[in-house]
Amino acid sequence: MTMTRLIYRSGIWIAYVVMLLPVVLLVVTSFFKDAIIAFPPSGLSLEWYGNALGRDEFLSGFIVSFKVAAFASLIGVPLGTAAAMALARSKIRAKQAITTFLLGPIIVPGIVAGTALYLTFLLAQNRFDMDIVGTLPGLVAAHILLTIPWTVRVVTAGLAGQDLSVEEAAANLGARPWTVFWRVTLPMMRPAIVAASVFSFIQSFENLELTLLLVGPGMSTLPIAMLNYLEFQIDPTLAAVATIQIVVIAALMLITDRYVKLSRIA
């Protein structure tokens, strides 16, 4: 093995360790028996999982996060898919500028975007005399700005690998444009659309910075509920909640990859 190859492989392993070590430590900590985290622990326990599953704020936060992520994905993914198709198949000169504009919400820091949306919603409230800030529709509208960029990014990558000759062959055989899209284009896009839906849902469900300024009294997402808990208590309960999230998200990714190979997107 050459020195260059050894350095390359060592760099890969170091990157894996840096990414996965915090996750491993988090999962291990969730089983510590002691309320005050110390190593080595005096014993192991499932008490913190029971505490996590038994607290109403975590359950209500999970429900709100799930609703917001589901609605934001259901609305944002079709819009982002349409935008990605238009950008991938069109020959407009401003294509790069439009792409940058659509990807802007994931480039701008979350706390900056949240502040801008909060001020925008306040102006809209005064203009139209309706409640927006602190409502579920307002929060969903904000999270759509997260799902659209992820969808554009993933679906555009999926479209780049498609063979246009298949669509041209269907059109030459007499298929109408809608039939070509429904029977040929859409099935080829399915892996990218499914992957975009999964990534969009996860990004919305886990978002904290954008959401922090837009929730109202009596409404809290799961990340905010965890932050509020941490303000008054420090114990492995949050590690247990985070571990449950990791397991759920990993299961979702594995199931998705089982039926729709995510590696096909590239």
Side-chain angles (χ1 to χ4, degrees), residues 33-185:
K33 181 179 180 180
D34 304 316
I36 299 177
I37 300 174
F39 190 86
S42 62
L44 302 178
S45 174
L46 295 175
E47 174 188 354
W48 309 115
Y49 285 91
N51 188 37
L53 296 174
R55 298 187 70 91
D56 292 337
E57 61 264 35
F58 292 145
L59 178 59
S60 60
F62 175 86
I63 294 174
V64 172
S65 291
F66 184 87
K67 288 181 179 179
V68 172
F71 283 123
S73 299
L74 287 173
I75 298 172
V77 171
L79 293 176
T81 300
M85 286 196 63
L87 291 171
R89 302 295 173 84
S90 67
K91 298 180 180 179
I92 57 177
R93 296 180 179 178
K95 182 186 298 186
Q96 186 59 45
I98 296 174
T99 302
T100 303
F101 174 77
L102 290 174
L103 296 179
I106 60 176
I107 299 174
V108 176
I111 194 68
V112 176
T115 303
L117 281 172
Y118 177 75
L119 296 176
T120 302
F121 285 172
L122 285 181
L123 291 174
Q125 284 186 169
N126 296 330
R127 178 66 178 83
F128 299 106
D129 192 24
M130 59 185 296
D131 293 331
I132 302 177
V133 177
T135 65
L136 185 63
L139 195 56
V140 170
H143 279 231
I144 290 174
L145 296 180
L146 294 174
T147 59
I148 289 179
W150 277 100
T151 302
V152 171
R153 190 174 184 177
V154 174
V155 174
T156 300
L159 288 171
Q162 285 190 5
D163 186 3
L164 296 180
S165 62
V166 180
E167 299 178 29
E168 295 172 355
N172 291 335
L173 291 174
R176 296 181 178 181
W178 175 252
T179 304
V180 173
F181 172 77
W182 188 256
R183 296 290 184 87
V184 179
T185 307

Side-chain angles (χ1 to χ4, degrees), residues 6-30:
L6 178 61
I7 294 174
Y8 176 73
R9 289 191 174 184
S10 300
I12 293 177
W13 279 107
I14 291 173
Y16 275 123
V17 170
V18 170
M19 289 188 297
L20 296 179
L21 184 59
V23 177
V24 174
L25 293 177
L26 179 72
V27 174
V28 172
T29 303
S30 68

Side-chain angles (χ1 to χ4, degrees), residues 195-212:
S197 301
V198 174
F199 293 148
S200 296
F201 182 90
I202 293 173
Q203 287 296 317
S204 176
F205 188 88
E206 296 288 335
N207 183 267
L208 173 63
E209 297 88 352
L210 185 69
T211 308
L212 194 59

